[in-house]
Amino acid sequence: MTFADQRPRTVLLAGGAGFLGSHFCETLLAQGDRIICVDSFLTGSRNNIISFANHPRFRLIRHDICNELEVDEPLDEVVNLACAASPPRYQADPVHTLMTSVVGTHNLLKLAEKHRARFLQASTSEIYGDPAVHPQTEDYLGNVNCTGPRACYDEGKRAAEALCFDFLRLRRADVRVVRIFNTYGPRMQPDDGRIVSNLVNQALNGEPLTIYGDGEQTRSFCFVSDLIDGMIRLLRVEPNPRAPVNLGNPGEFTINQLAELVTQLTGRSVPVLHKPLPQDDPRMRRPDISQARTLLGWKPRVPLEEGLPQTIEWFRQASKVA
Ligand code: UDP
């Protein structure tokens, strides 16, 4: 594999004020690129981009990608990270979530085509649904309930992948697709309802840890810096893999194990409060990352035992500022 040269690029990042988007912006700014951050601020936050909002190579456009977008300067790359991503957030307005993935991705693909820009789509391990294959390889077609409460996200992202590969086959854009597994780190929203943010904030506030179901379901947690490194590799690798690539940390934990680790690392001993398991909640999830290793020379470097303390410290500081 080779990687495109290091010349500075103009990169449009949709969802650039979100958790992942803001780290992506920051990393590319540090590498010398120019960033056009597009965000509706539905789930993104101004706080996430505050440390580089005045950077001379950073431009912010407030815009919902469900509406067509024109940009008055040349673009080299378009990255689509725009979509609510935690179950409570994406279920709050399910129709808008689905439209963001379908209509929004279509709008951004057309923008990339017009500018002859390379395109990176943030897809998700959710396209595997409640998987019958473990760990999940990219060729597994998934097990998604298309009428359930997660469908707005899962089916939206599946349709977005279909659009991406049609644009690629039709030679309308140089498209790459990453399937992102659970990612955590600084700048997660404390109230996004995800497991890491919930458990850490509950422990720090001395509240009971909410565990849905028996807590024996598993997830694999990737630290945000590892994920961004893999995504930039996929965006810039030659040749185009022309197939989706999983990115995630294969270290697999039950929710009970995660709760124990949070208790240890925060030094707070709080009771557990069991709540019903949400409908269609995947029972297990772990990425097979052989493709990322081979095609991108990538592997995660930060184990949960290292990334979680950094995340806890960030939440601790953020709660002082709030
Ligand atoms: N979960 C939990 N307690 C919480 C939040 C989530 O037990 O307070 C469980 C949830 O049911 C799922 C797992 O933790 O099995 C991961 O949930 P999350 O919302 O972080 O992401 P998902 O991978 O389901 O999209």
Side-chain angles (χ1 to χ4, degrees):
M1 94 216 51
T2 55
F3 292 94
D5 58 61
Q6 283 292 310
R7 81 186 153 82
R9 291 167 171 74
T10 300
V11 187
L12 182 139
L13 262 153
F19 162 50
L20 299 181
S22 64
H23 285 279
F24 212 124
C25 288
E26 200 172 21
T27 306
L28 292 186
L29 277 174
Q31 290 184 11
D33 293 322
R34 171 165 169 69
I35 301 299
I36 301 176
C37 168
V38 173
D39 208 291
S40 68
F41 291 100
L42 197 69
T43 54
S45 143
R46 288 192 184 269
N47 272 343
N48 286 344
I49 55 172
I50 211 160
S51 60
F52 47 83
N54 293 322
H55 193 289
R57 282 185 276 104
F58 182 80
R59 174 180 171 194
L60 176 64
I61 301 176
R62 184 178 188 138
H63 180 86
D64 184 329
I65 59 164
C66 288
N67 304 309
E68 283 200 24
L69 177 62
E70 298 277 343
V71 179
D72 55 5
E73 59 179 301
L75 300 175
D76 298 304
E77 293 167 343
V78 173
V79 179
N80 182 18
L81 286 155
C83 192
S86 76
R89 292 285 179 91
Y90 70 63
Q91 287 164 1
D93 188 348
V95 176
H96 187 258
T97 298
L98 199 139
M99 292 305 161
T100 300
S101 281
V102 180
V103 178
T105 302
H106 189 213
N107 284 335
L108 292 178
L109 282 164
K110 286 187 291 182
L111 183 72
E113 178 180 31
K114 202 163 164 182
H115 285 257
R116 298 183 179 282
R118 189 172 279 193
F119 190 91
L120 177 65
Q121 169 69 7
S123 190
T124 166
S125 56
E126 278 284 320
I127 68 112
Y128 301 120
D130 186 9
V133 164
H134 194 70
Q136 291 77 55
T137 44
E138 288 88 345
D139 57 5
Y140 174 50
L141 299 182
N143 176 32
V144 171
N145 174 4
C146 67
T147 61
R150 294 176 93 98
C152 59
Y153 187 70
D154 302 9
E155 296 293 356
K157 289 286 189 181
R158 289 174 70 91
E161 284 203 18
L163 278 169
C164 285
F165 285 101
D166 282 333
F167 266 68
L168 182 65
R169 273 187 294 267
L170 295 167
R171 297 174 195 270
R172 293 179 64 179
D174 177 352
V175 179
R176 287 111 195 273
V177 173
V178 52
R179 291 184 179 156
I180 300 173
F181 285 64
N182 296 62
T183 302
Y184 70 100
R187 298 203 192 119
M188 291 186 93
Q189 295 292 308
D191 58 352
D192 72 358
R194 285 177 175 283
I195 187 65
V196 172
S197 36
N198 273 7
L199 293 182
V200 170
N201 285 288
Q202 287 159 350
L204 292 178
N205 297 329
E207 294 163 3
L209 304 182
T210 53
I211 292 189
Y212 304 160
D214 64 5
E216 286 303 296
Q217 68 271 36
T218 67
R219 293 293 186 274
S220 303
F221 299 98
C222 185
F223 192 63
V224 61
S225 57
D226 280 333
L227 182 86
I228 301 298
D229 171 41
M231 289 180 74
I232 295 173
R233 283 168 187 256
L234 178 56
L235 177 62
R236 301 208 166 146
V237 75
E238 309 287 0
N240 184 337
R242 302 185 70 88
V245 178
N246 286 341
L247 288 181
N249 191 321
E252 185 180 1
F253 296 81
T254 66
I255 298 309
N256 290 327
Q257 287 171 329
L258 180 68
E260 247 178 68
L261 198 56
V262 168
T263 307
Q264 271 173 33
L265 293 171
T266 55
R268 300 284 183 94
S269 177
V270 285
V272 165
L273 176 65
H274 281 277
K275 291 195 168 180
L277 191 67
Q279 188 189 332
D280 299 332
D281 199 277
R283 280 169 296 114
M284 54 192 169
R285 181 179 289 156
R286 173 154 61 101
D288 180 309
I289 57 166
S290 321
Q291 291 297 322
R293 282 180 193 272
T294 312
L295 297 168
L296 313 177
W298 177 87
K299 65 170 193 260
R301 299 185 180 279
V302 185
L304 188 59
E305 294 78 0
E306 265 175 45
L308 200 50
Q310 292 182 46
T311 309
I312 291 170
E313 187 48 32
W314 184 83
F315 276 125
R316 223 190 275 273
Q317 297 302 331
S319 67
K320 281 185 202 155
V321 176

